[in-house]
Amino acid sequence: NHAAAVKWAERSFEFSPGFEWPRKYLGFYYLKNRQYEKAIEHYRGQLAIEPGRGGFWVGLAAVYETLGDPQKALDVLLEGTEKVPDERDLFGHAFRVAAGMGKRGDARSIVRKWLELHPGDEEFEAIDRDFDRILAEEFGAAAFKDSAGGKESQ
């Protein structure tokens, strides 16, 4: 029951705003309870306090994805990668959102930016190496008509 979870998380957050559990989960519970504006407000508030928390960036992006605005989600994730360049999940999620939107060039630049900052990451190296195949198999070849070569879509 997400409504009950929201109620208890809100109470916990109200009594102890620095307590980790409600800081981390209240936005998620708002999202699951379809309280999207409250979820956005919660994540934005937490990012104002602690912009170095990758999970808050990912959570905020998830709200925008749920609302059907993948571009806003990608913008949030890219901003997060600037603020938290060592948060691998941010880069991975940004790659998935960009690829899911058919933004081949953006998806590739996200992978390469991570590798530039963190050389030797085998999973990201494999994505970079097998980029076209991964896009075609994981995200649908139709979205990437240019994958065999030619002009990259943005």
Side-chain angles (χ1 to χ4, degrees):
N1 183 336
H2 297 295
V6 165
K7 180 177 107 175
W8 289 109
E10 282 178 335
R11 280 191 183 160
S12 180
F13 188 68
E14 181 182 329
F15 290 123
S16 191
F19 183 48
E20 187 61 22
W21 179 81
R23 287 186 71 212
K24 186 173 180 179
Y25 292 108
L26 184 55
F28 173 77
Y29 291 143
Y30 281 142
L31 173 62
K32 291 299 181 185
N33 207 40
R34 296 185 174 96
Q35 293 174 278
Y36 304 119
E37 290 305 316
K38 283 189 170 196
I40 290 168
E41 183 180 319
H42 176 76
Y43 285 124
R44 291 258 180 230
Q46 295 309 302
L47 286 166
I49 296 166
E50 194 176 359
R53 285 286 292 274
F56 293 145
W57 292 103
V58 171
L60 181 58
V63 178
Y64 290 118
E65 284 183 276
T66 302
L67 290 172
D69 192 347
Q71 183 59 57
K72 184 69 174 170
L74 182 58
D75 292 344
V76 164
L77 292 164
L78 292 176
E79 183 181 351
T81 65
E82 294 296 320
K83 306 269 189 199
V84 197
D86 292 329
E87 186 71 44
R88 191 174 189 272
D89 286 348
L90 271 172
F91 285 81
H93 201 81
F95 163 74
R96 286 188 297 280
V97 171
M101 293 171 65
K103 293 189 165 219
R104 183 181 195 276
D106 288 349
R108 185 177 282 284
S109 70
I110 291 162
V111 170
R112 290 193 170 160
K113 181 178 177 185
W114 175 260
L115 286 171
E116 179 183 308
L117 296 169
H118 305 90
D121 184 310
E122 292 179 13
E123 184 179 355
F124 273 77
E125 285 176 348
I127 292 169
D128 191 43
R129 187 173 50 252
D130 299 326
F131 191 77
D132 291 334
R133 181 188 59 76
I134 289 168
L135 290 185
E137 290 178 8
E138 302 290 326
F139 298 98
F144 299 97
K145 294 180 178 117
D146 60 345
S147 287
K151 187 172 176 272
E152 288 194 355
S153 62
Q154 293 291 319

